[in-house]
């Protein structure tokens, strides 16, 4: 149905035109999902925009052809192209929050498409809109039609986006990272919805994603992109059983998984070459484990390795036998010792002010009575979806946010309410690594100054020479060259910046590092590097981690203990193997089952949670989880469940257990 | 050789301090790669560099006009030395002919006769009504008054050739700097240099080709004519430049410390500090600017008029009034920048690197100085250059309304104000207004274009 | 939403009090009434008696803040502050130097001011928004480039030039309309057309450039890409999607000046001899009529604060996010 041939897309920069997509070809037939897989910057989104002819101002179609049912799209006049866009071919975007017009109602925005492509107005259009909203699973569609995007939750906005895309009855749906911005339970809902709609309507779908799990859940055929080129195209079975390109294999090997606990993850050295400095031969040659002399000079041709499985690689070997290097210490060696950080009934409430005099009318209970303990040298993973309060816990521990109530004890000393002077001394025992490597380093300071700041403030190394040596040692420890100290953050990539942030935190030799989603902004291969680094640092320094994350794969790979948070409270905690292997709380079970697994045999028993996380300003009566719980009972609506002990180390807050 | 006494006016102090500060900032920038790269982007902008050359030309005039002295009056030996009450500047000394060769009243550009008929005695014919011959304009021609055009063309041509040769010399030196091997010349004109040398050189050439002939002619003619009291208009234009520069620069610098400090403090500490600062700037910005300035200037006038003993010369009084005007303009205009900085600080303080610093227990003031201020500098620089042109324009309007600089001080506003009725005359006297508006247009246009280049280079969103 | 508006209204009260205190400080504390008298009377006529007489005539002979000699409420009310500053809240502005009641003069002069300022505002807004929208529509073309160049050139020209040049060309050389003056009724248009035209032209440069920036910022947003992905024609994308969102920042800038239209324009009115509040202010400044300037400062602030409240209200109309909060 859709045939893309030798498509080249570029961006003009000054007098040059740099090709961001360099000659890719693929086809999608009716009812088929073709997934374009690749890390950031490989040109997959540009491809989608090129097919829709929606390139940004500097973008150019250089050569190639895009045919929809035999009709050449690139040659069409703009007016005819508009008839196809939103009609026979529709697109949904990554950020539902910004992709809807904030000042127009949902009905207006869907109605536009109906009017343009289906010639529907008035009553008929409303009827159709209600039908569409029902199809995408929006309850109470009559009310939603008159609402504005800001009144909808993130998942609902994406559903509206999908309804909008479906309004023109498209033959082909292009979904550009449709679930990346969503929580894992909502992601599962949206992926189910897309799969169902596609099956019902027999649409073709071009799915763009970086997530192997999403690919496994959705795709029929997969194309792997690297540096603007397709390097491997395979059917789903072939792809997951016999990936042939070294890049594809490396992507699989870099995934953190429970089976790789105690092993070093495979990483891909180096970086994607920049558009202006593309190598002449194979573009992956510099980073490839199987590189041969001819790879540097000759760009490989397509080679068929199985039915419908083609690969662009000179190397003819089978699957790479990945070297498995073990970490020196596994969790077996670390016995849970005396907890050195304990928090008890920690609460952080933010007042909601309303009305004439801005009186406090309620509280956002971001953290509502959390008790945890962290032992030396171990990793505690705090898991939960966005808005559950996990980041607030981290900041409240460091007293960056003042806790409303409860206690945080560090080695017996109470931190809550401590005088600023004494608090400063306590701060050297724990530090934080933040989520966004681009926002966590001051762009106006040299890396050396950034790392040294903590030492200066906590007067650890006052002498300039000693400080310089300490900085050099830290840089070495996190795997950065010495001369990095004199450079500025903008000269480093995301992964390198995260290393700098880790070095900064380690500079004061803390016993506890609070890591707030430190890898969620990074690509899989870079994530593997950071995870390896964190593990080896733990071996060397015996530092404990509070690892705040939503990513279960990372938890499985890294954590010794796990705590699951929902709406400001911990619903289940225990040893990693206990919580992950035999989850007791329905929420934990649902979370685990919602994670798309990058394997063929993924879908066994699937628990789908309805609805979305309620607002922490107004949590449901009784058990916070009962409105979404598949096993809710009468008692769940009335009382919040007490803590029940499953094993000495495993506790659950659920009436089913108690 | 007559003695002289150096006079340092307050505005001179400020303007030279500014030059020193500018150099200091330059050194700081050279040491700080992120800032340096932003300025390199300004340097790469052709429009930016062309306008910068124009601005530097104006600034040089203003700086030469900011070295003041009083010359010694002739006195008998043994008596105490007495100095003239007239305060002159180095510029006045350089262009003495322009300053001293005053005619009786209006005369057109390049005229040899006055613009109004007068009764004159002609020996042998008695009294006739005719346009009298000018005392200075075109006097070297003697009786050959009809040869003005040829003479002007000849002088202008000679000066232009001189200017061109001078320009070639400068361009040759630049070419050597760009590349030692002699390919510099080609590189410049093919636009292959990172720094926009070609734009800079073209603009320099234009300025030289216009300015050198103009000054060559101005020794013999009144190139822009003379005004009602016979003063050379070119001289007035030159004197107006300094006033415009001081208003445009000192005002922003006066308000900067307050706007930066209060804006950051409000945004960083929030709470009641924020409430108080917000209240103060909302109140101040609630009073329409012109009216607040009018009221403040009126009150300042009362202070100055009731304390004549404070000033030994009229120049000092005019100077203090100019500075007071800068302060008043500054106080009425800091609110905008303050609000902007507060908003930006609110965003910055939530950033993770600030939280990382807080996690180390870095003190608030240290965070402000090391983390927040450097990341707001681009806004301050943008505000500084963006405000300049607006202030130069505002000076003209305020002086016209009568609440601007001292009437005895030459500025674009006072020039326009005193020439306001001249277009209504028959025949029309157009040259004063035309010269003032043109000079102001060139200055403001250059400032606006330079400001655009700076904003594009510093605004992170534009990059 | 109602609470929001009421809160904004209440917030205006302390602001007004602050403005009142500032004007009081400026006019009576920076300089004593004696200084003002000396200034007004001129050096030659200054005698202690003359100063005293001048102060009594204007009611400036009372104590500034607290009248220790009076009793009861009069200790507060029989003071310069209460009589001259606080009474402005109830519309009592006192008398000008020529003995006329300032409040009456102001109400009489608002009409002519508005007759110039309102058409200038409406026409100017229409012209600049249209121009900016056209530039943004043809963004990154030669038309856009030269349009911006034109804007920068136009904003570099002094406002005085537009007035002086316009008057000279249109009234004196072409003799199309009277050079200045003001008429009542239908005849007024002949006097209004030139100042309105000049007012519109002189404002185009800076506003059009600013609006263009706002439009371009909106054009780059994600929802515009969504609208294009629906296959909507570019005109619909612009007028339905971009314009609506761009209206929000534009509104903040313009609604606030609407009440200030009553104040007229200082320059235009003095050049064209229009008997409005602008020329009233200029005359007062030149005559050093402190009572009138003080009143104008206060009224100007009140109108500005009204403008702020109107802005808040207009927000609730165009931005659903505030309407439903």
């Amino acid at each position: 149905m859709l045939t893309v041939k030798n498509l080249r897309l570029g961006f003009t920069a000054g007098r040059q035109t740099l090709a961001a997509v360099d000659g890719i070809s693929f086809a999608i037939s009716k009812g088929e999902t073709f997934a374009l897989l690749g890390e950031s910057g490989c040109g997959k989104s540009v491809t989608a925009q090129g097919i829709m002819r929606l390139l940004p101002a500097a973008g150019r179609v250089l050569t190639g052809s895009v045919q929809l049912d035999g009709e050449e799209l690139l040659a069409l006049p703009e007016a005819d192209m508009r008839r196809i866009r939103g009609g026979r071919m529709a697109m949904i975007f990554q950020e539902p929050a910004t992709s809807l017009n904030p000042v127009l109602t949902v009905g207006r925005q869907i109605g536009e498409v109906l009017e343009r492509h289906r010639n529907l107005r008035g009553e008929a259009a409303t009827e159709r809109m209600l039908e569409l909203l029902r199809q995408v699973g929006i309850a109470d569609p009559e009310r939603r039609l008159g609402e504005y995007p800001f009144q909808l939750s993130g998942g609902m906005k994406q559903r509206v986006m999908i309804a909008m895309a479906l309004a023109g009855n498209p033959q082909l749906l292009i979904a550009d990272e449709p679930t990346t911005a969503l929580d894992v339970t909502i992601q599962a809902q949206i992926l189910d919805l897309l799969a169902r709609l596609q099956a019902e309507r027999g649409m073709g779908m071009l799915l763009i994603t970086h997530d192997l799990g999403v690919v496994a859940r959705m795709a029929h055929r997969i194309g792997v992109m690297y540096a603007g080129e397709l390097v491997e195209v395979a059917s789903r079975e072939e792809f997951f059983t016999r990936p042939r390109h070294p890049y594809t294999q490396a992507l699989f090997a870099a995934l953190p998984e429970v089976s790789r606990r105690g092993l070093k993850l495979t990483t891909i050295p180096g970086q994607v070459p920049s558009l202006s400095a593309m190598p002449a031969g194979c573009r992956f040659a510099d980073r490839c484990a199987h590189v041969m002399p001819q790879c540097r000079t000759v760009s490989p041709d397509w080679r068929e390795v199985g039915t419908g499985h083609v690969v662009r690689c000179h190397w003819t070997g089978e699957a790479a036998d990945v070297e498995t290097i073990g970490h020196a210490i596994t969790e077996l060696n670390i016995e849970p010792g005396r907890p050195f950080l304990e928090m008890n009934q920690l609460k952080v409430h933010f007042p909601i002010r309303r009305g004439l005099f801005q009186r406090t009318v309620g509280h956002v209970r971001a953290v509502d009575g959390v008790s945890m303990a962290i032992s030396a040298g171990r990793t505690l993973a705090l898991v939960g979806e966005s808005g559950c309060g996990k980041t607030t816990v981290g900041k409240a521990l460091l007293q960056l946010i003042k806790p409303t109530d409860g206690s945080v004890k560090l080695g017996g000393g109470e931190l809550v309410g401590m005088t600023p002077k004494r608090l400063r001394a306590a701060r050297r025992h724990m530090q934080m690594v933040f989520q966004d490597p681009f926002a966590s380093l001051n762009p106006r300071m040299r890396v050396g100054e950034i790392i040294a700041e903590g030492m200066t403030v906590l007067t650890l190394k006052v002498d300039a020479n000693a400080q310089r040596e300490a900085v050099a040692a830290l840089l070495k420890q996190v795997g950065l060259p010495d001369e990095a100290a004199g450079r500025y953050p903008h000269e480093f990539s995301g992964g390198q910046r995260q290393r700098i942030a880790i070095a900064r935190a380690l500079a004061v030799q803390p016993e506890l590092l609070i890591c707030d989603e430190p890898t969620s902004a990074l690509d899989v291969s870079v994530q593997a590097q950071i995870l390896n680094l964190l593990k080896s640092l733990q071996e060397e320094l015996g530092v404990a981690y509070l690892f705040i994350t939503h990513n279960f794969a990372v938890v499985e790979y890294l954590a010794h203990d796990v705590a699951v948070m929902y709406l400001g409270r911990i619903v289940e905690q225990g040893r990693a193997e206990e919580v992950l292997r035999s989850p007791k709380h329905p929420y934990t079970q649902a979370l685990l089952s919602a994670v798309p697994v990058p394997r063929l045999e993924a879908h066994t028993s699937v628990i789908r949670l309805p609805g979305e996380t309620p607002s922490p300003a107004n949590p449901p009566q009784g058990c916070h989880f009962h409105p979404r719980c598949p096993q809710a009972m009468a008692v769940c609506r009335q009382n919040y469940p007490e803590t029940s002990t499953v094993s000495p180390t495993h506790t659950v807050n659920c009436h089913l257990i108690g | 050789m007559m003695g002289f006494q150096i006079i340092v006016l307050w505005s001179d102090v400020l303007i030279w301090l500014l030059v020193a500060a500018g150099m200091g900032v330059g050194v700081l920038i050279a040491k700080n790669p992120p800032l340096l790269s932003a300025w390199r982007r300004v340097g790469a902008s052709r429009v930016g560099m062309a306008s910068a050359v124009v601005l530097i030309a104006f600034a040089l005039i203003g700086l030469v006009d900011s070295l003041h002295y009083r010359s010694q009056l002739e006195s008998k030996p043994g008596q105490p030395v007495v100095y003239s009450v007239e305060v002159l500047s180095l510029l006045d000394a350089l262009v003495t002919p322009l300053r001293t060769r005053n005619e009786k009243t209006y005369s057109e550009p390049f005229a040899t006769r006055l613009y109004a008929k007068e009764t004159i005695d002609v020996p042998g014919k008695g009294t006739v009504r005719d346009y009298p011959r000018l005392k200075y304009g075109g006097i070297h021609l003697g009786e050959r008054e009809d040869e003005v055009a040829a003479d002007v063309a000849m002088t202008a041509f000679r000066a232009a050739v001189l200017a061109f040769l001078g320009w070639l010399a400068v361009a040759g030196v630049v070419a050597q700097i760009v590349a030692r091997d002699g390919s510099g010349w080609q590189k410049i004109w093919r636009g292959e240099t990172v720094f926009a040398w070609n734009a800079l050189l073209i603009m320099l050439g234009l300025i030289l080709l216009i300015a050198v002939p103009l000054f060559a002619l101005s020794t013999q003619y009144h190139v822009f004519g003379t005004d009602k009291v016979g003063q050379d208009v070119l001289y007035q234009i030159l004197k107006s430049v300094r006033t415009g520069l001081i208003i445009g620069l000192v005002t922003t610098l006066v308000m900067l410390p307050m706007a930066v400090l209060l804006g950051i403090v409000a945004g960083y500490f929030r709470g009641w500090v924020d409430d108080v600062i917000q209240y103060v700037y909302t109140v101040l910005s609630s009073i329409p600017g012109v009216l607040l300035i009018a009221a403040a200037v009126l009150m300042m006038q009362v202070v100055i008029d009731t304390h004549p003993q404070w000033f030994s010369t009229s120049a000092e009084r005019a100077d203090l009034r100019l500075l007071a005007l800068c302060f008043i303009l500054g106080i009425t205009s800091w609110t905008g920048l303050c609000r902007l900085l507060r908003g930006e600080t609110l965003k910055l303080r939530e950033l993770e690197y600030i939280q990382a610093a807080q996690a180390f227990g870095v003190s608030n003031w240290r965070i402000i100085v090391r983390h927040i201020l450097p990341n707001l500098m681009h806004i301050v620089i943008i505000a500084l250059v963006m405000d300049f042109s607006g202030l130069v324009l505002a000076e003209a309007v305020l002086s016209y309304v009568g609440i601007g600089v001292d009437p005895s001080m030459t500025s674009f506003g006072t020039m326009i104000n005193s020439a306001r009725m001249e277009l209504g005359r028959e025949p029309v006297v157009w040259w004063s207004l035309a010269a003032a508006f043109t000079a102001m247009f060139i200055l403001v246009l250059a400032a606006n274009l330079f400001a655009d280049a700076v904003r594009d280079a510093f605004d992170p969103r534009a990059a | 939403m109602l609470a929001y508006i009421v809160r904004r209204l209440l917030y205006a009260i302390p602001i007004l009090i602050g403005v009142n205190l500032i004007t009081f400080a400026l006019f009576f504390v920076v300089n004593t009434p004696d200084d003002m008298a000396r200034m007004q009377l001129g050096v030659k006529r200054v005698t202690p008696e003359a100063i005293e007489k001048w102060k009594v005539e204007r009611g400036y002979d009372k104590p500034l803040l607290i009248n220790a000699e009076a009793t009861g409420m009069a200790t507060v009310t029989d003071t310069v502050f209460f009589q001259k500053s606080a009474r402005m809240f109830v519309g009592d502005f006192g008398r000008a130097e020529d003995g006329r009641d300032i409040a009456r003069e102001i109400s009489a002069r608002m009409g002519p001011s508005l007759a110039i300022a309102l058409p200038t505002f409406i026409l100017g807004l229409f012209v600049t928004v249209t121009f900016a929208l056209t530039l943004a529509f043809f963004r990154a073309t030669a038309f856009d480039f030269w349009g911006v160049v034109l804007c920068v050139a136009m904003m570099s020209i002094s406002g005085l030039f537009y007035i002086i040049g316009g008057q000279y060309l249109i009234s004196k050389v072409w003799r199309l309309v009277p050079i200045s003056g003001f008429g009542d009724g239908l005849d007024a248009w002949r006097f209004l057309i030139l100042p309105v035209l000049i007012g519109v032209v002189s404002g185009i440069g800076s506003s059009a450039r600013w609006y263009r920036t706002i439009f371009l910022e909106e054009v780059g947003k994600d929802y515009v890409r969504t609208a294009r992905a629906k296959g909507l024609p570019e005109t619909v994308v612009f007028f339905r999607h971009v314009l609506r969102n761009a209206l929000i920042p534009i509104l903040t800038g313009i609604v606030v000046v609407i009440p200030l239209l009553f104040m007229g324009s200082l320059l235009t009115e003095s050049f064209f001899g229009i008997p409005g509040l602008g020329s009233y202010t200029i005359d007062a400044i030149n005559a050093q009529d402190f009572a009138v300037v003080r009143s104008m400062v206060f009224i100007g602030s009140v109108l500005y604060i009204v403008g702020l409240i109107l802005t808040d209200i207009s927000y609730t109309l165009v931005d659903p996010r505030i309407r439903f909060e």
Side-chain angles (χ1 to χ4, degrees), chain B residues 357-404:
Chain B
Q358 286 167 342
F360 286 123
V362 179
S363 71
N364 288 329
W365 286 106
R366 200 179 149 96
I367 289 180
I368 287 178
V369 172
R370 275 172 71 96
H371 293 281
I372 294 191
L373 192 60
N375 284 292
L376 292 175
M377 273 331 275
H378 66 283
I379 298 182
V380 173
I381 290 170
I382 293 171
L384 193 76
V385 291
M386 296 290 267
D387 284 355
F388 177 83
S389 53
L391 287 165
V392 174
L393 290 178
E395 185 276 328
V397 172
L398 293 178
S399 295
Y400 172 81
V401 174
I403 48 177

Side-chain angles (χ1 to χ4, degrees), chain A residues 502-518:
Chain A
I502 292 171
R504 168 178 62 189
L506 290 177
V508 296
Q509 296 157 358
E511 285 103 342
L512 171 68
L513 214 51
I514 300 169
C515 302
D516 185 3
E517 307 254 18

Side-chain angles (χ1 to χ4, degrees), chain C residues 195-236:
Chain C
V196 167
L197 198 70
I198 287 173
V200 169
V201 171
S202 60
I204 287 179
S206 52
S207 331
R209 202 168 75 122
W210 181 50
Y211 295 158
R212 173 183 169 274
T213 318
I214 293 175
F215 285 134
L216 286 188
E217 204 159 291
E218 287 298 324
V219 167
K221 294 211 171 143
D222 282 353
Y223 70 84
V224 178
R225 188 181 57 183
T226 312
R228 292 211 183 97
K230 290 177 188 172
L232 298 176
E234 199 65 1
T235 44
V236 175

Side-chain angles (χ1 to χ4, degrees), chain B residues 180-195:
Chain B
R180 288 285 160 86
D181 58 5
S183 66
W185 189 258
Q186 277 187 346
K187 275 192 180 157
I188 290 173
W189 299 114
R190 284 183 186 166
E192 286 165 1
T193 51
V194 177
F195 190 81

Side-chain angles (χ1 to χ4, degrees), chain A residues 164 183 210 238 245 351 558 588 635 641:
Chain A
M164 228 153 69
D183 274 324
H210 67 279
E238 284 277 319
H245 199 282
L558 202 69
T588 317
V635 63

Side-chain angles (χ1 to χ4, degrees), chain A residues 570-591:
Chain A
I570 288 178
V571 295
E572 179 163 9
Q573 62 178 323
R575 295 289 199 82
E577 52 271 33
E578 292 171 331
V579 177
L580 300 175
R581 291 298 140 250
S582 55
K584 292 290 182 284
H585 198 284
Y587 178 61
T588 317
Q589 293 165 356
L591 270 184

Side-chain angles (χ1 to χ4, degrees), chain A residues 95-231:
Chain A
E95 281 289 343
T98 56
S99 294
L100 290 171
N101 189 331
V103 301
L104 295 181
T105 59
V106 168
R108 189 85 193 272
Q109 298 191 51
I110 304 176
E112 269 182 343
V113 186
L114 293 174
E115 191 184 321
R116 168 101 186 113
H117 296 287
R118 309 295 304 279
N119 214 8
L120 285 175
R121 282 182 190 77
E123 274 301 297
T126 314
E127 276 305 307
R128 181 81 191 117
M129 280 188 259
L130 293 175
E131 200 184 318
L132 281 167
L133 288 183
R134 265 181 226 114
Q135 277 185 11
V136 297
I138 287 186
D140 198 3
E142 288 85 357
R143 184 163 63 95
R144 295 297 180 197
L145 273 190
E147 291 195 333
Y148 292 91
F150 75 96
Q151 292 165 296
L152 309 176
S153 66
M156 221 144 30
K157 278 184 207 148
Q158 196 60 301
R159 284 172 196 269
V160 169
M161 279 296 294
I162 295 171
M164 228 153 69
L166 295 181
N169 261 357
Q171 298 164 275
L172 175 74
L173 183 66
I174 301 179
D176 186 357
E177 305 264 11
T179 56
T180 309
L182 303 174
D183 274 324
V184 55
T185 55
I186 311 300
Q187 161 167 303
Q189 295 172 4
I190 297 290
L191 291 180
D192 283 351
L193 173 68
L194 283 174
R196 197 192 81 221
L197 289 168
Q198 185 200 20
E200 280 172 15
R201 294 168 168 247
M203 280 187 302
M205 181 146 84
L206 174 60
L207 178 72
I208 287 164
T209 184
H210 67 279
D211 188 333
L212 281 166
V214 172
V215 171
R217 168 81 186 78
M218 300 289 292
H220 301 120
R221 281 195 310 129
I222 294 107
V224 181
M225 274 189 90
Y226 182 78
E229 287 178 337
L230 270 174
V231 293

